[in-house]
Structures are given as C-alpha cells and as structure tokens.
Amino acid sequence: MRFTDLVNEHYADLNETELLMCNYIMENIDIIPTMSTLEFAKNSLSSKSSVIRFSQKLGFTGFTELRNFIKWQDHEERFDEQITFTNQVIKDIERLLNILKDRNWLPIYQIIDSVDNIYVITTGITQKNQAAELQRLFLLIGKPLQIIPGNGSSNEFRRILERLTEKDIVFVLSLSGENNRLESIIHQLELVKSKIVSITSLQNNWLSGKSDFNLYATTSRSPLPKDWWLQTASSFFVLIEAFAFGYMDYKRKESS
C-alpha cells in the first residue's frame, strides 16, 4: 500500500489541516524521510501534537513510523520504475486467469436462482461502470438487477433497505474493500440477513471478511510515483463478464 492509498482510505476522517499535511507530503516526498516531527510540523504549518494525531489517523503510532513508511515506499517505487505499466496490466490479467481457473461459483449461482431480488452497490465512479456492465449482462440473461448508490444515508438506499429480506442477494463493488462508508451499509444488510457477494481486488480486506461470498479481480498502480493516480481496472470487467457467462453455462447445464 502507498501513501496515497492511505489518504484515500482515511480521507473522510481527515480535517482541513491534515489534508494540507497530505499535500505537503506528496509535494515533498523526497525530503520527508529526513525530517523530524518538529521539522515536519514547522514546514507544514502545523503543531507537533497535530502531526502525531494525523499520523495515528493513518494507522501509525507516530510521525517516525509514518516517515519510515514513506522511506520504504520511495525505495520500492525506485525499484518499480524498471517495470512498465503495460506489463503490469498484462500481469494483472494473467493473475486473474489463474483465479478464474480455480473458481467455484456454483453456490452463488444456486442462490441467484432462489432469491427474489438482485442488487449491486457501488462505491466509486469506476465501480458504477462495472455495476452497469453487470446489470446489462444480467438483463440479457433475463435476471433483472438493480443498482444502489453506495451511500447508506441516501433515500434510494433507505427505501430499498425497507424491502430487503433474507431472500435477496446484494453484490458490493469496492476496489480495496476497505471503504469506511461500507461499514454502516454492510451492518444494515446483515440485520436484514440478505446474502452479500463482495467484488474486490485480490487481497485480505474488511469487505470480503464480512461477505457470504467473494469474487476477486486483480489490480495495480503505475510503478511511477508521478503517475500514482493510474490504476488498472480492466480485470474487474473480465471477472464480471466471466461470472455472468458462467451463470448462463450453469443454466444451460441445468436445463439439459
């Protein structure tokens, strides 16, 4: 995990001063490993106590641990510069193919056949596109699927929640599976005992641990620090297509 991943994960918990610290770190990533807590506080126009609280919000015991993490990240990224992003895309797909070879989706398909409703919850822009593709494929198959915005306080979610039962199945799309907004949503789904299928990247994550079934894709960021915002997502679409077509194969086999 990189510093930018930590910021994205804890973004909702950071105040304005802490977001300014994040910006300072990203703009001065090369010199952060050489700074003391007091030096960082002075240069980022904050206080020592604010820096410590900021570090703890990101999961570290203090600034020293955060500084060492950034130093380690810098070393890893310098090594990764030898790897092209195109090759990482190819490696992602190769890893996904190995996952698909060992798939066992029969239990999920059997539940899909027995439920009253199918829903998918999204947690980001890319996930909305993935959900739309899942919805399109299931409509072609003849299984209506409704998309729910990933906001536990939205009127749409609250209204659908009133109708959810243990006879429904909910797919939850999340890149990392660690989005803080998911906690209240999943808790509410657990209360109504709906079946939950997570669709996340291949890693141990909070969402997969709270779900009844897991579908895994593979993803990686650009090895170049200046292109930190680039992250592969094509494997999610391949996974969704394989899953939907696999359900068609399952239905044909059942009817033969």
Side-chain angles (χ1 to χ4, degrees):
M1 180 176 286
R2 303 186 182 188
F3 177 72
T4 50
D5 296 321
L6 289 175
V7 174
N8 290 333
E9 181 180 332
H10 299 282
Y11 186 86
D13 300 323
L14 301 177
N15 59 38
E16 185 176 348
T17 299
E18 290 162 344
L19 290 175
L20 289 175
M21 290 187 214
C22 292
N23 290 335
Y24 180 81
I25 290 175
M26 287 186 281
E27 291 173 359
N28 301 275
I29 197 77
D30 291 335
I31 62 173
I32 296 299
T34 67
M35 288 185 175
S36 67
T37 305
L38 288 175
E39 287 173 328
F40 176 78
K42 180 180 179 180
N43 291 342
S44 62
L45 304 179
S46 56
S47 65
K48 180 179 178 181
S49 59
S50 296
V51 171
I52 294 173
R53 284 195 299 271
F54 164 67
S55 302
Q56 290 173 342
K57 279 189 179 181
L58 295 181
F60 302 101
T61 57
F63 179 74
T64 300
E65 192 171 296
L66 170 58
R67 182 187 63 196
N68 291 338
F69 171 84
I70 291 172
K71 181 178 180 180
W72 167 83
Q73 171 190 290
D74 180 62
H75 171 77
E76 290 293 307
E77 287 178 343
R78 291 179 190 279
F79 175 79
D80 285 347
E81 286 183 5
Q82 304 170 33
I83 306 171
T84 67
F85 197 28
T86 303
N87 286 338
Q88 287 193 211
V89 175
I90 295 171
K91 286 183 178 181
D92 284 343
I93 299 300
E94 289 175 343
R95 290 170 60 204
L96 176 65
L97 291 176
N98 289 328
I99 295 172
L100 295 180
K101 289 175 184 178
D102 295 329
R103 69 191 183 280
N104 178 22
W105 296 334
L106 180 60
I108 307 177
Y109 293 153
Q110 290 173 334
I111 289 177
I112 289 175
D113 271 352
S114 66
V115 297
D116 293 336
N117 301 289
I118 308 172
Y119 299 95
V120 57
I121 294 176
T122 63
T123 58
I125 296 175
T126 304
Q127 286 72 43
K128 288 181 180 178
N129 294 330
Q130 295 161 359
E133 180 63 8
L134 183 62
Q135 182 185 52
R136 183 185 73 86
L137 292 172
F138 267 70
L139 285 174
L140 292 175
I141 294 170
K143 300 290 285 188
L145 180 151
Q146 299 182 58
I147 298 177
I148 309 174
N151 183 350
S153 60
S154 69
N155 290 334
E156 294 87 349
F157 180 80
R158 292 168 59 188
R159 183 69 184 96
I160 291 174
L161 184 67
E162 292 176 354
R163 303 198 304 266
L164 280 173
T165 71
E166 68 274 8
K167 294 183 179 180
D168 297 324
I169 188 170
V170 182
F171 291 83
V172 185
L173 274 158
S174 174
L175 183 62
S176 66
E178 298 289 349
N179 191 311
N180 290 334
R181 290 183 300 169
L182 285 172
E183 292 191 22
S184 63
I185 292 174
I186 298 302
H187 178 64
Q188 293 177 78
L189 294 178
E190 289 175 329
L191 290 177
V192 297
K193 299 182 179 179
S194 297
K195 294 296 183 183
I196 303 172
V197 181
S198 69
I199 305 179
T200 68
S201 57
L202 181 60
Q203 60 185 15
N204 290 326
N205 60 76
W206 182 86
L207 176 58
S208 63
K210 302 293 288 186
S211 302
D212 298 291
F213 303 99
N214 309 117
L215 300 179
Y216 290 114
T218 51
T219 184
S220 58
R221 289 192 181 276
S222 169
L224 302 177
K226 62 184 178 64
D227 295 331
W228 61 266
W229 48 274
L230 289 174
Q231 186 164 11
T232 62
S234 55
S235 67
F236 278 84
F237 291 95
V238 176
L239 170 66
I240 286 169
E241 192 171 75
F243 179 78
F245 290 164
Y247 179 72
M248 289 181 63
D249 293 336
Y250 159 76
K251 294 300 292 181
R252 287 173 180 164
K253 186 176 181 181
E254 285 289 297
S255 60
S256 63

